[in-house]
């Protein structure tokens, strides 16, 4: 049986945690480590890339694999470079919803369109957490944040639907309540040839919970009750896309071989 100590000793760097008590980031780190272990991926065959935000710390510094901690919104661009330079590597991006859908939004759409063989785990807490809980592109209509105390007048991106429409090979959405499903999806995504995307709804009790009037336990119960495979729109969880299609670095290699003839 894989114990928590085994995961900790083999996959997690022993450093003081940067995460607040009850933050979902620890569970996502746990899920990633378990998926890598279950797939038996050698640590020198996987690279983790993150941008800026609380969730960027999941892989850098905590996950014990080679990692790049890049600039705000750009982890997908760095990851694409790594994959094209060395297609044998598994390249994992962990990016917050602000990082991934605001400043990095175009990278996300075009990575899905080009079907580059990287895995993006988008940690969605519906706000900019690291900078104090401001409204984000993923904040739902009418939700209160520190910068929208009377409710968000705008509307949220449905990131999974956007990535699906852009042409990704694998798309799924879970919450940190649905840990076994999340681990299964990460395993599938890491083995997928083309672009794979997993949106994970994750509690930020410090900023989101405080404004919504919930602690971390209540937030998890909220996830369990509100998000289901039978729900509609943003509240629907599950696998939305699982297809095979040509992958970008393979297509580039074909062109290089043709040009070398
Ligand atoms: S601010 Fe929110 S997202 Fe950031 S570490 Fe704390 S609980 Fe987690």
């Amino acid at each position: 049986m894989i114990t928590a100590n085994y995961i900790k000793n083999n996959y997690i760097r022993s450093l003081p945690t940067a995460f607040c008590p009850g933050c979902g980031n620890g569970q996502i780190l746990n899920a990633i480590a378990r998926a890598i272990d279950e797939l038996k991926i050698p640590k020198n065959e996987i690279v983790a890339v993150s941008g800026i935000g609380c969730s960027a710390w999941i892989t850098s510094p905590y996950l014990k694999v080679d990692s790049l901690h890049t600039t705000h919104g750009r982890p997908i661009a760095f990851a694409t470079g790594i994959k094209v330079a060395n297609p044998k590597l598994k390249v994992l991006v962990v990016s917050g919803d602000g990082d991934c859908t605001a400043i990095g939004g175009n990278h996300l759409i075009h990575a899905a369109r080009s079907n580059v063989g990287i895995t993006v785990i988008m940690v969605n807490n519906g706000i900019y957490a690291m900078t104090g809980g401001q409204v984000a592109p993923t904040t739902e209509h009418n939700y209160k944040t520190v910068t929208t105390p009377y409710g968000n007048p705008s509307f949220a991106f449905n990131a999974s639907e956007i990535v699906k429409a852009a042409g990704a090979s694998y798309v799924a959405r879970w919450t940190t309540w649905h840990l076994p499903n999340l681990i299964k999806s990460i395993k599938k995504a890491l083995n997928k040839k083309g672009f794979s995307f997993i949106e994970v709804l994750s509690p930020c009790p410090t900023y989101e919970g405080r404004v919504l009037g919930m602690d971390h336990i209540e937030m998890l119960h909220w996830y369990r009750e509100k998000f289901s495979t039978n729900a509609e729109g943003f509240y629907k969880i599950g696998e939305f896309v699982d297809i095979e299609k040509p992958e970008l670095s393979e297509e580039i290699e074909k062109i290089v071989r043709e040009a070398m003839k």
Side-chain angles (χ1 to χ4, degrees), residues 108-109 112-113 158-171 195-197 241:
L108 176 67
I109 292 166
R113 173 187 62 78
N158 185 331
S160 290
E161 285 297 324
I162 291 169
V163 175
K164 178 180 164 186
S169 289
Y170 183 83
V171 182
F195 184 78
S196 52
F197 178 83
V241 180

Side-chain angles (χ1 to χ4, degrees), residues 21-258:
C23 177
N25 287 346
Q27 281 297 37
I28 296 169
L29 174 60
N30 179 23
I32 293 169
R34 284 173 189 271
I36 293 171
D37 187 77
E38 285 176 27
L39 290 175
K40 302 194 188 325
I41 301 171
K43 287 195 192 121
N44 60 358
E45 290 179 16
I46 181 162
V47 178
V49 188
S50 60
I52 298 298
C54 296
S55 52
W57 298 327
I58 291 174
T59 53
S60 165
Y62 296 112
L63 187 67
K64 248 189 218 171
V65 301
D66 282 343
S67 60
L68 279 184
H69 201 136
T70 70
T71 48
H72 196 199
R74 311 298 173 210
I76 291 174
F78 282 83
T80 300
I82 295 167
K83 185 68 186 179
V84 171
N86 188 350
K88 290 196 187 89
L89 289 172
K90 292 201 184 289
V91 184
L92 169 69
V93 171
V94 177
S95 180
D97 48 308
D99 195 57
C100 203
T101 63
I103 191 166
N106 264 342
H107 293 299
L108 176 67
I109 292 166
H110 291 285
R113 173 187 62 78
S114 62
N115 202 35
V116 60
I118 63 174
T119 296
V120 175
I121 296 178
M122 188 189 90
V123 181
N124 186 358
N125 48 33
I127 48 167
Y128 285 97
M130 195 181 74
T131 47
Q134 297 90 344
V135 68
T138 45
T139 308
E140 286 190 72
H141 184 54
N142 282 334
Y143 267 47
K144 289 181 180 166
T145 70
V146 295
T147 49
T148 54
Y150 300 103
N152 180 17
S154 187
F155 297 86
F157 267 149
N158 185 331
S160 290
E161 285 297 324
I162 291 169
V163 175
K164 178 180 164 186
S169 289
Y170 183 83
V171 182
R173 178 192 287 133
W174 301 108
T175 80
T176 49
W177 175 269
H178 302 88
L179 207 64
N181 306 79
L182 177 59
I183 295 169
K184 216 165 142 190
S185 263
I186 296 172
K187 285 166 68 181
K188 264 196 182 177
L190 287 172
N191 272 344
K192 181 59 71 176
K193 197 168 70 167
F195 184 78
S196 52
F197 178 83
I198 304 170
E199 180 179 356
V200 190
L201 280 296
S202 174
C204 170
T206 299
Y207 291 114
E208 189 192 12
R210 194 183 292 164
V211 172
L212 295 176
M214 286 188 254
D215 65 21
H216 63 289
I217 304 289
E218 288 166 330
M219 289 189 84
L220 280 177
H221 285 296
W222 178 57
Y223 283 166
R224 186 188 58 178
E225 281 148 28
K226 210 155 188 178
F227 292 85
S228 85
T229 49
N230 296 324
E232 294 294 326
F234 181 69
Y235 295 108
K236 190 173 181 63
I237 52 168
E239 285 183 336
F240 306 134
V241 180
D242 187 0
I243 57 169
E244 300 300 331
K245 59 192 268 197
E247 188 272 327
L248 180 69
S249 56
E250 276 184 6
E251 295 301 294
I252 291 174
E253 275 186 22
K254 274 190 215 163
I255 293 169
V256 171
R257 275 199 299 273
E258 189 62 28

Side-chain angles (χ1 to χ4, degrees), residues 1-10 12 30 34:
M1 195 182 117
I2 297 173
T3 62
N5 264 346
Y6 168 85
I7 292 295
K8 194 172 145 207
N9 295 337
N10 286 282
I12 316 295
N30 179 23
R34 284 173 189 271

